[in-house]
Amino acid sequence: MRLLALLTFWTTAMGAMLPAAATPREQVETTITLAAAQVAEHYVDVVEPRSLFMHGLRGLGNMAGELASSRRRSLDAAMQAEATAIGFKPQADLLIAEIMRFRAGRERDAALAAALRGMMAGLDPHSRLVLPAEMQPPPASVGLELTVKGGALTVVRPLPGGPGERAGLQAGDVLVGIDGRPTTGLPLPEAVALLRGALGTSPVLKVERPGAPAPLTLRPVRGPVQAPPSLRWTLEGRVAVIKISAFDGNTRTNLQSALDAAASRAGGPLEGLVLDMRGNAGGLLDAAEQLGGMMLPAGTEIANLRGRTPANARRLVSRQGDVVSGLPIVVIVDSRTGAGAEIVAGALQDHGRALVVGQKTAGAGTIQTVLPLPEGQGALIVTTARVYRATGAALDGAGVAPDLVLDEESGLLTPRSGSGSKLDAQTESEVAGAVSAAPSGTDTALLAAIKLVGSVGKPATSKAAAP
């Protein structure tokens, strides 16, 4: 611990001593040493600096098409030396020296980014480099909803009327290149940042389309794209259906406003709430804690975080109390539901407050912290804690198993083993009948959830021990 404290002090002081007049090597050295020291101090597990630097060298090796044979031999020698180097500085110097072999300017900047990306890749899938473009997104983009499917950057849909749709992009298209840069292995947020840019500019997209004989080249013109709201609501009879696609600083206020507006439109008290968190990958931790706390008695444990430092270890607790006064709740989740959304779904399930329906969630039960890099070079997103449910079960990897697993084609609801969730024959028949009779294109999960609200009744006694 003393070594880490000294490293943090040294690198921070070094950064303060390096104004714009610092040499190119000093600038690279500051960035690499600060990155390694911050990760070693804050990462959820103990990590050796040697491992970070070795992965940084491997990151440079991933620039395969850009490395001459002489540079490749130098890199191989550096990796061999890294395995036996003693001490933080000698280990860091090996990586720094290899970065400095790249020409000053864009080539060296790309090498530094590749090294940092490699250091993060050696940790876990959620720790990564954040490019400056992600931290200050320009006002224009191409209007695509994207996902990574089987390692391929895939278009979920072009936003209606947006630049991507006008350029001919379609759902299912795979973006294999952006301005000549291959997208294989590229983190989704980084790919999104590459698609952003100045208003009126055009990225060159290499697109593989299922059924097309050859890749397409498309040039959508970047334009202003209005992000869809993170919370939307509708009313089905006297049941409020609230869709939350991400947790942000306005989630708690927007949820309360939606509940009030739904009750006003219903002309009286609501009879149930469907909380749709399919595709919600999380967002702000505080927003997740606030939202879960709005549906549980004050003082109830929502989850707890375990990290290596006191700042990264804390209990999440309901502070506001149940604002919907025991209103029956059904939560819809799927395999894309992650992080903060899993915390909320798990807490409502653990305390018997809601019936959870759908598919098993992503199991992204870790917390990430943003650690800035010097001189506007972006930041590192580093996993600093793991999430444990109120029952004590780890959320990371395990996810939240629904009380009722829905087969969306048949409408069959299968109770999770040991969940104690049983449907009476009439409710089960009504749900299956409604789903099977629904026209093509119907959101069967939502239809089933609305039908199930009436069967939830008053919540059962808490299954998780009260704090």
Side-chain angles (χ1 to χ4, degrees), residues 300-325:
T300 303
E301 181 176 297
I302 296 170
N304 67 84
L305 313 182
R306 301 179 192 176
R308 288 195 299 119
T309 66
N312 295 319
R314 56 179 279 212
R315 292 173 70 241
L316 307 183
V317 177
S318 172
R319 306 184 192 285
Q320 182 171 352
D322 191 346
V323 301
V324 290
S325 304

CSV table of all heavy atoms in Angstrom, one decimal, residues 300-325:
chain,number,residue,atom,x,y,z
A,300,THR,N,-34.4,-0.2,3.9
A,300,THR,CA,-34.2,-1.6,3.4
A,300,THR,C,-32.9,-1.6,2.5
A,300,THR,O,-32.7,-0.7,1.8
A,300,THR,CB,-35.4,-1.9,2.4
A,300,THR,OG1,-36.6,-1.9,3.2
A,300,THR,CG2,-35.3,-3.3,1.9
A,301,GLU,N,-32.2,-2.7,2.7
A,301,GLU,CA,-30.9,-2.8,1.9
A,301,GLU,C,-31.3,-3.2,0.5
A,301,GLU,O,-32.0,-4.1,0.2
A,301,GLU,CB,-30.0,-3.9,2.5
A,301,GLU,CG,-28.7,-4.0,1.8
A,301,GLU,CD,-27.8,-5.0,2.4
A,301,GLU,OE1,-27.3,-4.7,3.5
A,301,GLU,OE2,-27.5,-6.0,1.8
A,302,ILE,N,-30.7,-2.4,-0.4
A,302,ILE,CA,-30.9,-2.7,-1.9
A,302,ILE,C,-29.8,-3.6,-2.4
A,302,ILE,O,-30.1,-4.6,-3.1
A,302,ILE,CB,-30.9,-1.3,-2.6
A,302,ILE,CG1,-32.1,-0.5,-2.2
A,302,ILE,CG2,-31.0,-1.6,-4.1
A,302,ILE,CD1,-32.1,0.9,-2.7
A,303,ALA,N,-28.6,-3.3,-2.0
A,303,ALA,CA,-27.5,-4.1,-2.4
A,303,ALA,C,-26.3,-3.5,-1.6
A,303,ALA,O,-26.4,-2.5,-0.9
A,303,ALA,CB,-27.2,-4.0,-3.9
A,304,ASN,N,-25.1,-4.2,-1.8
A,304,ASN,CA,-23.9,-3.6,-1.2
A,304,ASN,C,-22.7,-3.8,-2.1
A,304,ASN,O,-22.7,-4.8,-2.9
A,304,ASN,CB,-23.6,-4.2,0.2
A,304,ASN,CG,-23.2,-5.6,0.2
A,304,ASN,OD1,-22.1,-6.0,0.0
A,304,ASN,ND2,-24.2,-6.5,0.5
A,305,LEU,N,-21.8,-2.9,-2.1
A,305,LEU,CA,-20.6,-2.9,-3.0
A,305,LEU,C,-19.4,-3.3,-2.2
A,305,LEU,O,-19.2,-2.9,-1.1
A,305,LEU,CB,-20.4,-1.5,-3.6
A,305,LEU,CG,-21.6,-0.8,-4.2
A,305,LEU,CD1,-21.2,0.5,-4.8
A,305,LEU,CD2,-22.3,-1.7,-5.2
A,306,ARG,N,-18.6,-4.1,-2.8
A,306,ARG,CA,-17.3,-4.6,-2.1
A,306,ARG,C,-16.2,-4.2,-3.1
A,306,ARG,O,-16.1,-4.7,-4.2
A,306,ARG,CB,-17.4,-6.1,-1.8
A,306,ARG,CG,-18.6,-6.5,-0.9
A,306,ARG,CD,-18.6,-7.9,-0.6
A,306,ARG,NE,-19.8,-8.3,0.0
A,306,ARG,CZ,-20.2,-9.6,0.3
A,306,ARG,NH1,-19.3,-10.6,0.0
A,306,ARG,NH2,-21.3,-9.9,0.8
A,307,GLY,N,-15.3,-3.4,-2.6
A,307,GLY,CA,-14.1,-3.0,-3.3
A,307,GLY,C,-12.9,-3.0,-2.3
A,307,GLY,O,-13.1,-3.3,-1.1
A,308,ARG,N,-11.7,-2.7,-2.8
A,308,ARG,CA,-10.5,-2.8,-2.0
A,308,ARG,C,-10.3,-1.5,-1.2
A,308,ARG,O,-9.4,-1.5,-0.3
A,308,ARG,CB,-9.3,-3.1,-2.9
A,308,ARG,CG,-9.3,-4.5,-3.4
A,308,ARG,CD,-7.9,-4.8,-4.0
A,308,ARG,NE,-7.5,-4.0,-5.1
A,308,ARG,CZ,-6.4,-3.2,-5.0
A,308,ARG,NH1,-5.6,-3.1,-4.0
A,308,ARG,NH2,-6.1,-2.5,-6.1
A,309,THR,N,-10.9,-0.4,-1.5
A,309,THR,CA,-10.7,0.8,-0.7
A,309,THR,C,-12.0,1.2,-0.1
A,309,THR,O,-13.1,0.9,-0.6
A,309,THR,CB,-10.2,1.9,-1.7
A,309,THR,OG1,-11.3,2.3,-2.6
A,309,THR,CG2,-9.0,1.5,-2.4
A,310,PRO,N,-12.0,2.0,1.0
A,310,PRO,CA,-13.2,2.4,1.7
A,310,PRO,C,-14.2,3.2,0.7
A,310,PRO,O,-15.4,3.1,0.8
A,310,PRO,CB,-12.7,3.3,2.8
A,310,PRO,CG,-11.3,2.8,3.1
A,310,PRO,CD,-10.8,2.3,1.8
A,311,ALA,N,-13.6,3.9,-0.2
A,311,ALA,CA,-14.4,4.7,-1.1
A,311,ALA,C,-15.2,3.8,-2.0
A,311,ALA,O,-16.2,4.3,-2.6
A,311,ALA,CB,-13.5,5.7,-1.9
A,312,ASN,N,-14.7,2.6,-2.3
A,312,ASN,CA,-15.4,1.7,-3.2
A,312,ASN,C,-16.2,0.6,-2.5
A,312,ASN,O,-16.6,-0.4,-3.1
A,312,ASN,CB,-14.4,1.1,-4.1
A,312,ASN,CG,-13.7,2.1,-5.0
A,312,ASN,OD1,-14.3,3.0,-5.5
A,312,ASN,ND2,-12.4,2.0,-5.2
A,313,ALA,N,-16.5,0.8,-1.2
A,313,ALA,CA,-17.3,-0.2,-0.5
A,313,ALA,C,-18.4,0.5,0.2
A,313,ALA,O,-18.1,1.4,1.1
A,313,ALA,CB,-16.4,-1.0,0.5
A,314,ARG,N,-19.6,0.2,-0.1
A,314,ARG,CA,-20.7,0.9,0.6
A,314,ARG,C,-22.0,0.1,0.4
A,314,ARG,O,-22.1,-0.8,-0.4
A,314,ARG,CB,-21.0,2.3,-0.1
A,314,ARG,CG,-21.2,2.3,-1.6
A,314,ARG,CD,-21.4,3.6,-2.2
A,314,ARG,NE,-22.8,4.1,-2.0
A,314,ARG,CZ,-23.4,4.8,-2.8
A,314,ARG,NH1,-22.8,5.3,-3.9
A,314,ARG,NH2,-24.7,5.2,-2.7
A,315,ARG,N,-23.0,0.4,1.3
A,315,ARG,CA,-24.3,-0.2,1.3
A,315,ARG,C,-25.2,0.7,0.5
A,315,ARG,O,-25.2,1.9,0.7
A,315,ARG,CB,-24.9,-0.5,2.7
A,315,ARG,CG,-24.1,-1.6,3.4
A,315,ARG,CD,-24.6,-1.6,4.9
A,315,ARG,NE,-26.0,-2.2,4.9
A,315,ARG,CZ,-27.0,-1.5,5.4
A,315,ARG,NH1,-26.9,-0.3,5.8
A,315,ARG,NH2,-28.2,-2.1,5.5
A,316,LEU,N,-26.1,0.1,-0.3
A,316,LEU,CA,-27.1,0.9,-1.0
A,316,LEU,C,-28.4,0.6,-0.2
A,316,LEU,O,-28.8,-0.5,0.0
A,316,LEU,CB,-27.3,0.4,-2.5
A,316,LEU,CG,-26.0,0.4,-3.3
A,316,LEU,CD1,-26.3,0.0,-4.8
A,316,LEU,CD2,-25.3,1.8,-3.3
A,317,VAL,N,-29.0,1.7,0.2
A,317,VAL,CA,-30.2,1.6,1.1
A,317,VAL,C,-31.3,2.5,0.6
A,317,VAL,O,-31.1,3.6,0.1
A,317,VAL,CB,-29.8,2.0,2.5
A,317,VAL,CG1,-31.0,2.0,3.5
A,317,VAL,CG2,-28.7,1.1,3.1
A,318,SER,N,-32.6,2.0,0.8
A,318,SER,CA,-33.7,2.9,0.5
A,318,SER,C,-33.8,4.0,1.5
A,318,SER,O,-33.9,3.8,2.7
A,318,SER,CB,-35.0,2.0,0.6
A,318,SER,OG,-36.2,2.8,0.5
A,319,ARG,N,-33.9,5.2,1.0
A,319,ARG,CA,-33.9,6.4,1.9
A,319,ARG,C,-35.3,7.1,1.8
A,319,ARG,O,-35.7,7.7,2.8
A,319,ARG,CB,-32.8,7.3,1.5
A,319,ARG,CG,-31.4,6.6,1.6
A,319,ARG,CD,-30.3,7.6,1.3
A,319,ARG,NE,-29.0,6.8,1.1
A,319,ARG,CZ,-28.3,6.2,2.0
A,319,ARG,NH1,-28.7,6.3,3.3
A,319,ARG,NH2,-27.2,5.5,1.7
A,320,GLN,N,-35.9,7.0,0.7
A,320,GLN,CA,-37.1,7.8,0.5
A,320,GLN,C,-38.4,7.0,1.0
A,320,GLN,O,-39.3,7.6,1.5
A,320,GLN,CB,-37.3,8.1,-1.0
A,320,GLN,CG,-38.6,9.0,-1.3
A,320,GLN,CD,-38.6,9.5,-2.7
A,320,GLN,OE1,-37.6,9.3,-3.4
A,320,GLN,NE2,-39.7,10.1,-3.1
A,321,GLY,N,-38.3,5.7,0.8
A,321,GLY,CA,-39.5,4.9,1.2
A,321,GLY,C,-40.4,4.6,0.0
A,321,GLY,O,-40.3,5.2,-1.0
A,322,ASP,N,-41.3,3.7,0.2
A,322,ASP,CA,-42.1,3.2,-0.9
A,322,ASP,C,-43.2,4.3,-1.3
A,322,ASP,O,-44.1,4.5,-0.6
A,322,ASP,CB,-42.8,1.9,-0.5
A,322,ASP,CG,-43.6,1.2,-1.6
A,322,ASP,OD1,-43.7,1.8,-2.7
A,322,ASP,OD2,-43.9,0.0,-1.5
A,323,VAL,N,-42.9,5.0,-2.4
A,323,VAL,CA,-43.8,6.0,-2.8
A,323,VAL,C,-45.0,5.6,-3.5
A,323,VAL,O,-46.0,6.3,-3.8
A,323,VAL,CB,-43.0,7.0,-3.8
A,323,VAL,CG1,-41.8,7.6,-3.1
A,323,VAL,CG2,-42.7,6.4,-5.1
A,324,VAL,N,-45.1,4.3,-3.9
A,324,VAL,CA,-46.3,3.7,-4.6
A,324,VAL,C,-47.1,2.9,-3.6
A,324,VAL,O,-48.0,2.1,-4.1
A,324,VAL,CB,-45.9,2.9,-5.8
A,324,VAL,CG1,-45.4,3.9,-6.9
A,324,VAL,CG2,-44.8,1.9,-5.5
A,325,SER,N,-46.8,2.9,-2.4
A,325,SER,CA,-47.6,2.4,-1.3
A,325,SER,C,-48.1,0.9,-1.6
A,325,SER,O,-49.2,0.6,-1.5
A,325,SER,CB,-48.9,3.3,-1.1
A,325,SER,OG,-48.5,4.6,-0.8
